[in-house]
Amino acid sequence: MRVHKVTFAVLAVAAGLSLTACQNGDADAGQSAPSSTSTVLPGSNASSTGGSSGTQSPDQSVAKPSAATGSGGSSSGGTGTGTGTGTSANAKVGKCTTDELEFTAKDNTIDGDPDGTVVVELTNGGGRDCTISGYAGVDLKTNAGTVSAKRTGQATTSTVLKNGKSIDFPINYPLNKSGGSGVRITGLVVTPPDETKSVTLTWPGAASLPVTDGPGASVKVGPVGSAGQGG
């Protein structure tokens, strides 16, 4: 009877050890599973030891919005469709109109020069950028009629005139050195390039033109962006 009790006890201990070993094996298997499914969220700087998932994938960087290029994709912060809008918007800047420009005329004659110079400044006050190029139309009102300025023939360039910025052009005219009253100037009429609407300004230069106007002594206008002594 005693032999049977000892044998039963040995069998019970062996069974217990076998059960414990099985339980430990299952626990180890359960602990290793999370490392293979680790996920790094977009924008996260966290690192992971679970294989290649520790680095951000290309999809994670694409998902970041980019207002500068409009390539935000499906991200809620994106503003474009992948083609961008900044470059095309700049390429479609409209021309400067008369109603958007502020006009200022000032005397810019240098002592000793044979001709007088008036500079007309155009300031963009339209609340947007605009393009301007070419020659403005210039007419001097006088007591003897209208005198239209002739172009100097200088090359022209197209300029994007930022909102609030200015550009100018020169008007050269013969000085009245005859000692007489000459032709009295009563006003300055300016029409911006590619526009038909004009503005009338107070003439800031010499009061009169000579009565006779020989070759090379006519009123001349330079292109926008060439302020100073004209050609």
mmCIF file of all heavy atoms in Angstrom, residues 14 66 105 113 116 132 138 173 186 207:
data_model
loop_
_atom_site.group_PDB
_atom_site.id
_atom_site.type_symbol
_atom_site.label_atom_id
_atom_site.label_comp_id
_atom_site.label_asym_id
_atom_site.label_seq_id
_atom_site.Cartn_x
_atom_site.Cartn_y
_atom_site.Cartn_z
ATOM 1 N N ALA A 14 5.177 14.827 -11.708
ATOM 2 C CA ALA A 14 5.598 14.842 -13.111
ATOM 3 C C ALA A 14 4.555 15.499 -13.979
ATOM 4 O O ALA A 14 4.855 16.276 -14.882
ATOM 5 C CB ALA A 14 5.846 13.384 -13.574
ATOM 6 N N SER A 66 1.249 70.366 -48.180
ATOM 7 C CA SER A 66 2.256 71.307 -48.659
ATOM 8 C C SER A 66 1.557 72.460 -49.345
ATOM 9 O O SER A 66 1.164 72.374 -50.501
ATOM 10 C CB SER A 66 3.215 70.627 -49.634
ATOM 11 O OG SER A 66 4.134 71.559 -50.159
ATOM 12 N N ALA A 105 3.972 113.155 -61.084
ATOM 13 C CA ALA A 105 4.932 113.767 -62.019
ATOM 14 C C ALA A 105 5.815 114.734 -61.245
ATOM 15 O O ALA A 105 5.329 115.537 -60.446
ATOM 16 C CB ALA A 105 4.206 114.492 -63.149
ATOM 17 N N ASP A 113 21.990 120.619 -68.418
ATOM 18 C CA ASP A 113 21.484 119.830 -69.550
ATOM 19 C C ASP A 113 20.767 120.739 -70.547
ATOM 20 O O ASP A 113 20.084 121.693 -70.153
ATOM 21 C CB ASP A 113 20.512 118.755 -69.057
ATOM 22 C CG ASP A 113 21.227 117.544 -68.483
ATOM 23 O OD1 ASP A 113 22.472 117.513 -68.564
ATOM 24 O OD2 ASP A 113 20.546 116.644 -67.948
ATOM 25 N N GLY A 116 15.013 119.746 -70.686
ATOM 26 C CA GLY A 116 14.406 119.503 -69.382
ATOM 27 C C GLY A 116 13.899 118.077 -69.298
ATOM 28 O O GLY A 116 13.654 117.424 -70.310
ATOM 29 N N ILE A 132 3.347 95.439 -66.607
ATOM 30 C CA ILE A 132 3.372 96.678 -67.371
ATOM 31 C C ILE A 132 4.605 96.672 -68.267
ATOM 32 O O ILE A 132 5.671 96.222 -67.860
ATOM 33 C CB ILE A 132 3.358 97.915 -66.440
ATOM 34 C CG1 ILE A 132 3.126 99.189 -67.238
ATOM 35 C CG2 ILE A 132 4.608 97.987 -65.589
ATOM 36 C CD1 ILE A 132 2.786 100.395 -66.365
ATOM 37 N N VAL A 138 1.861 110.243 -73.986
ATOM 38 C CA VAL A 138 2.109 111.509 -73.296
ATOM 39 C C VAL A 138 1.733 112.673 -74.215
ATOM 40 O O VAL A 138 2.216 112.753 -75.346
ATOM 41 C CB VAL A 138 3.591 111.639 -72.868
ATOM 42 C CG1 VAL A 138 3.882 113.047 -72.345
ATOM 43 C CG2 VAL A 138 3.926 110.604 -71.806
ATOM 44 N N TYR A 173 12.029 117.343 -72.882
ATOM 45 C CA TYR A 173 11.423 118.424 -73.664
ATOM 46 C C TYR A 173 12.434 119.565 -73.824
ATOM 47 O O TYR A 173 13.327 119.741 -72.986
ATOM 48 C CB TYR A 173 10.149 118.939 -72.978
ATOM 49 C CG TYR A 173 10.388 119.543 -71.610
ATOM 50 C CD1 TYR A 173 10.510 120.927 -71.457
ATOM 51 C CD2 TYR A 173 10.528 118.740 -70.479
ATOM 52 C CE1 TYR A 173 10.750 121.488 -70.210
ATOM 53 C CE2 TYR A 173 10.773 119.294 -69.243
ATOM 54 C CZ TYR A 173 10.880 120.672 -69.110
ATOM 55 O OH TYR A 173 11.139 121.232 -67.876
ATOM 56 N N THR A 186 0.069 123.943 -70.048
ATOM 57 C CA THR A 186 -1.034 124.045 -69.083
ATOM 58 C C THR A 186 -1.405 122.712 -68.423
ATOM 59 O O THR A 186 -2.181 122.692 -67.469
ATOM 60 C CB THR A 186 -2.283 124.617 -69.769
ATOM 61 O OG1 THR A 186 -2.668 123.753 -70.851
ATOM 62 C CG2 THR A 186 -2.012 126.010 -70.321
ATOM 63 N N ALA A 207 7.873 126.281 -67.471
ATOM 64 C CA ALA A 207 6.541 126.804 -67.794
ATOM 65 C C ALA A 207 6.213 126.784 -69.279
ATOM 66 O O ALA A 207 5.044 126.750 -69.655
ATOM 67 C CB ALA A 207 6.411 128.228 -67.259
#
